[in-house]
């Protein structure tokens, strides 16, 4: 099996940018690397995800059951894994897959709909079993959480287009500030439980660091964890 790296974070945290920068870095070092993004909006497998985010099941994310919602995103990942990167991932121990969002997004966002610690733990146990054990998806070797303060994320998302409609309206998550704040606060609990690497993305004033500074922090964390990732001449 290869290595699986996940770039996780709240909406507006720069996941796509950092995923691409990490892909380019590893590719430049001669690594076998593939980049994956979730949800896979170009695939029919994301139909229920798009219906949910498009508010077709209601405008309040808390009103849509966490387990049901998680299954929408999970099915999209199962399809993508089997069709797009399973063979690559299993082809060599040198293969590296970088995911912009993954199972970690269900862990982060859907537990935000639950109130008690007991409910959150039960959901996380179910989620882990559903996707990793029963579904057979690879467990990440390393998860980076891009730590962007909610207020900073709100500013960054203000003029960003909807990834589904490519218009200015926000999806069911992005339009609900309370949900985004709870998801961010929940990341502390979930990240600690699963050993995610927290990447500080804001300076002391709460302003966003440059993409280069954030990428450098991710790159250093990878080099510290895996000697095999050290630049080499193939």
């Amino acid at each position: 099996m290869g290595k699986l790296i996940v770039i996780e974070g709240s909406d507006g945290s720069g996941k796509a940018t950092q995923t691409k920068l990490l892909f380019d870095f590893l590719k430049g070092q001669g690594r076998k690397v593939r980049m994956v993004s979730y949800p896979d909006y170009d695939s029919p497998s994301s139909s229920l995800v798009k219906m949910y985010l498009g508010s077709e099941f209601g405008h309040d994310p808390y009103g849509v059951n966490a387990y049901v919602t998680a299954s929408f995103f999970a099915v999209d990942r199962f399809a993508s894994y089997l069709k797009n990167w399973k063979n690559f991932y299993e082809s060599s121990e040198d293969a590296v897959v970088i995911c912009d969002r993954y199972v970690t997004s269900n862990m982060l966002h859907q537990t935000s709909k639950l109130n008690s610690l007991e409910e959150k733990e039960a959901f996380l146990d179910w989620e882990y079993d559903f996707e990793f054990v029963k579904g057979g998806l690879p467990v990440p070797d390393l998860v980076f959480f891009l730590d962007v303060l909610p207020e900073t994320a709100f500013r960054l998302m203000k003029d960003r287009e909807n990834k589904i409609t490519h218009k200015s309206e926000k999806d069911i998550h992005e339009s609900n500030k309370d949900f985004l704040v709870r998801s961010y606060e929940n990341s502390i609990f979930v990240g600690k439980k699963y050993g995610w690497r927290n990447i500080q993305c804001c300076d002391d004033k709460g302003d966003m660091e440059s993409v280069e500074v954030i990428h450098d922090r991710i790159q250093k964390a990878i080099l510290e964890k895996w000697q095999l990732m050290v630049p080499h001449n193939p």
Side-chain angles (χ1 to χ4, degrees):
M1 301 297 179
K3 291 284 191 294
L4 178 59
I5 302 171
V6 176
I7 306 293
E8 189 55 77
S10 58
D11 292 303
S13 59
K15 296 180 297 299
T17 298
Q18 293 304 323
T19 299
K20 182 61 165 61
L21 287 174
L22 182 56
F23 172 85
D24 291 342
F25 166 69
L26 294 177
K27 193 77 172 176
Q29 302 304 326
R31 302 297 173 187
K32 296 173 58 178
V33 58
R34 183 163 295 184
M35 186 170 56
V36 182
S37 178
Y38 291 108
D40 184 1
Y41 291 123
D42 293 330
S43 170
S45 63
S46 67
S47 295
L48 286 169
V49 172
K50 288 187 282 190
M51 291 175 70
Y52 164 71
L53 292 176
S55 302
E56 292 191 40
F57 305 133
H59 294 279
D60 181 5
Y62 297 112
V64 187
N65 181 275
Y67 290 84
V68 173
T69 305
S71 69
F72 299 161
F73 289 91
V75 167
D76 181 47
R77 276 188 288 272
F78 294 146
S80 171
Y81 174 62
L82 293 174
K83 290 183 62 178
N84 302 329
W85 58 277
K86 181 177 186 289
N87 290 338
F88 173 81
Y89 174 76
E90 295 180 345
S91 66
S92 167
E93 63 180 12
D94 294 325
V96 181
V97 177
I98 310 170
C99 285
D100 170 1
R101 294 198 186 276
Y102 192 51
V103 178
T104 47
S105 285
N106 269 355
M107 294 174 166
L108 175 66
H109 294 292
Q110 298 310 314
T111 49
S112 299
K113 297 178 178 180
L114 308 171
N115 294 314
S116 71
L117 179 60
E118 182 179 7
E119 288 177 306
K120 292 177 186 289
E121 291 282 8
F123 175 85
L124 290 171
D125 289 343
W126 174 86
E127 171 65 32
Y128 193 99
D129 179 70
F130 183 46
E131 297 208 48
F132 292 135
V133 180
K134 291 186 172 65
L137 294 184
V139 176
D141 295 283
L142 191 57
V143 177
F144 290 109
F145 178 78
L146 303 184
D147 192 335
V148 178
L149 299 172
E151 287 301 324
T152 303
F154 297 151
R155 293 199 302 270
L156 294 171
M157 287 191 297
K158 183 178 179 181
D159 299 317
R160 191 180 70 169
E161 70 175 21
N162 187 303
K163 291 183 178 180
I164 301 173
T165 65
H166 303 292
K167 296 180 180 179
S168 59
E169 78 271 15
K170 304 304 180 186
D171 67 36
I172 192 174
H173 287 179
E174 295 172 336
S175 62
N176 192 308
K177 287 190 175 183
D178 178 73
F179 183 78
L180 293 179
V181 169
R182 288 188 62 170
S183 293
Y184 174 78
E185 294 171 345
N186 196 53
S187 71
I188 300 172
F189 160 65
V190 179
K192 185 176 181 180
K193 178 179 177 67
Y194 292 105
W196 296 356
R197 297 291 188 94
N198 190 288
I199 302 296
Q200 291 294 327
C201 298
C202 295
D203 61 22
D204 293 339
K205 297 179 181 179
D207 295 324
M208 197 74 171
E209 298 275 20
S210 70
V211 295
E212 293 81 12
V213 166
I214 297 169
H215 170 65
D216 185 62
R217 290 171 181 170
I218 293 173
Q219 186 183 125
K220 286 180 178 177
I222 287 178
L223 296 178
E224 289 172 1
K225 181 173 177 64
W226 291 318
Q227 189 65 26
L228 67 88
M229 291 290 188
V230 173
H232 73 302
N233 295 315

